[in-house]
Amino acid sequence: MTAYPKTSALMARGTAFLGSEYAILCGAMSWVSERSLVSAISNAGGFGVIACGAMTPELLDAEIAATRGLTDKPFGVNLITMHPQLFDLIEVCGRHRVGHVVLAGGIPPKGSVEAIKAFDAKVIVFAPTLALAKKLLRSGGDALVIEGMEAGGHIGPVSTSVLAQEFLPELAADHLVFVAGGIGRGEAIAGYLEMGAVGVQLGTRFACAKESIAHPAFKAAFFRANARDAVASVQVDPRLPVIPVRALKNKGTEAFTAKQLEVARALDEDGIAMAEAQLQIEHYWAGALRRAVIDGDVEGGSLMAGQSVGMVKSEEPVADIIAQLMAQSEVALGRR
């Protein structure tokens, strides 16, 4: 008998798909969503997801193995579609029999979905438009995450509430759809479940959990922040396919503007390929995020955070966060 019968009933398709007790995924946050946080979330009944980010295949191999040493519960791996070694990373996931692979950051390249399906893993995709969502689901995606611009990290231009109203009536009956972006409380979870979502994804809410390895200074910056402090980066050159990034405003935000100008000059003067330019931008973010998360450089590093950051007030165990979210959702559904 579940302690949250109404919420669990609405999450049933999501939990069956994930193999977890609750259909609550942790967003893949580079340097944050590693073995400690991922295993803690899975052990607490959620679904942890390793953020591969810019990892090499060797590093991912070690991370999956280490996570398996900390939990016997299901967890997934998030791969960036533009990673130059994507197929090598997929092979690593296959060797470890990873059950769920999330493809993020762009349209999956030809053959990638098939390579994941070859070892019977489930494929979770992202899509910014309804047309692309339908195409990806037809092309082998087993589940979809719709993520609004309130989220932290790389974002699209449309809010979560609008995406949910557009996507869920069209897709929820026949497909598994998870909602993400700006979710900080269980009442919001209840609303999206009632609209047809099978679960949710949260990142910012977990970033400062007790089990997160993020530097104390990084966590303190979150505790001080409110929603208005989490701002989206600005694109300075229309030729650069730079996806906006939401983070707490600091000197690092200004440094990214300078980095874009530097890369744009390289396009003009050095004739580098557009793919290389995009990769330089991604490597910049990986380095800037590491400086903040690992080294505690909250001025020069990147403090990627969603607008729900104002709801993160203290360091809490993952199990407590999940219990709060589920209890809030259950109370909300009980009022209906």
Side-chain angles (χ1 to χ4, degrees):
M1 182 71 178
T2 176
Y4 315 106
K6 294 179 183 294
T7 305
S8 295
L10 292 175
M11 284 184 170
R13 292 167 66 207
T15 54
F17 171 73
L18 297 171
S20 57
E21 188 175 358
Y22 311 121
I24 297 177
L25 295 94
C26 179
M29 301 171 283
S30 293
W31 304 109
V32 178
S33 299
E34 50 72 71
R35 64 191 72 173
S36 301
L37 184 61
V38 170
S39 61
I41 288 170
S42 290
N43 285 334
F47 191 83
V49 179
I50 294 172
C52 177
M55 284 184 192
T56 62
E58 294 74 21
L59 285 174
L60 179 61
D61 181 74
E63 198 61 40
I64 295 172
T67 305
R68 279 262 164 79
L70 296 171
T71 185
D72 60 358
K73 305 291 186 184
F75 62 88
V77 173
N78 179 294
L79 302 179
I80 304 300
T81 57
M82 70 180 69
H83 197 295
Q85 294 177 284
L86 176 63
F87 285 88
D88 294 328
L89 296 169
I90 290 172
E91 185 182 349
V92 170
C93 292
R95 285 205 307 272
H96 285 278
R97 309 303 298 176
V98 170
H100 298 73
V101 176
V102 183
L103 293 176
I107 298 173
K110 186 177 180 180
S112 58
V113 171
E114 291 80 2
I116 295 167
K117 296 277 193 175
F119 55 90
D120 295 325
K122 302 295 186 184
V123 178
I124 303 174
V125 295
F126 284 77
T129 67
L130 184 56
L132 181 57
K134 290 179 177 179
K135 180 180 179 181
L136 292 177
L137 291 167
R138 284 196 306 269
S139 302
D142 296 294
L144 172 74
V145 177
I146 55 173
E147 183 175 66
M149 51 87 72
E150 301 95 324
H154 292 82
I155 58 170
V158 183
S159 71
T160 305
S161 62
V162 172
L163 288 176
Q165 293 175 77
E166 183 182 1
F167 283 60
L168 291 174
E170 290 274 343
L171 301 176
D174 300 316
H175 300 282
L176 303 172
V177 184
F178 295 85
V179 175
I183 299 174
R185 289 184 58 88
E187 292 89 348
I189 295 174
Y192 291 127
L193 291 174
E194 285 187 316
M195 291 176 70
V198 299
V200 293
Q201 175 182 288
L202 293 83
T204 301
R205 192 73 175 81
F206 289 120
C208 297
K210 185 175 181 181
E211 295 88 347
S212 165
I213 65 165
H215 195 282
F218 179 91
K219 294 182 179 181
F222 272 50
F223 301 152
R224 291 192 299 268
N226 59 49
R228 295 186 181 204
D229 296 321
V231 298
S233 62
V234 177
Q235 183 177 7
V236 299
D237 191 313
R239 295 173 304 164
L240 282 175
V242 176
I243 301 171
V245 168
R246 187 175 299 285
L248 301 183
K249 190 172 184 180
N250 64 359
K251 291 178 181 176
T253 311
E254 299 167 10
F256 176 57
T257 301
K259 179 63 180 179
Q260 288 187 75
L261 292 171
E262 175 192 320
V263 173
R265 279 195 299 271
L267 280 171
D268 291 332
E269 299 169 10
D270 302 332
I272 66 170
M274 189 60 73
E276 170 62 21
Q278 179 71 13
L279 204 56
Q280 283 192 28
I281 296 292
E282 289 306 311
H283 284 161
Y284 168 85
W285 280 122
L289 188 58
R290 187 190 190 285
R291 289 196 300 276
V293 174
I294 304 300
D295 301 333
D297 179 6
V298 297
E299 284 301 317
S302 175
L303 297 165
M304 291 190 189
Q307 290 182 322
S308 61
V309 68
M311 302 175 213
V312 180
K313 298 298 184 184
S314 62
E315 192 178 60
E316 300 172 277
V318 161
D320 289 359
I321 295 172
I322 291 178
Q324 288 168 23
L325 293 170
M326 292 297 292
Q328 290 163 355
S329 173
E330 195 66 16
V331 170
L333 292 172
R335 295 196 193 106
R336 305 299 203 253

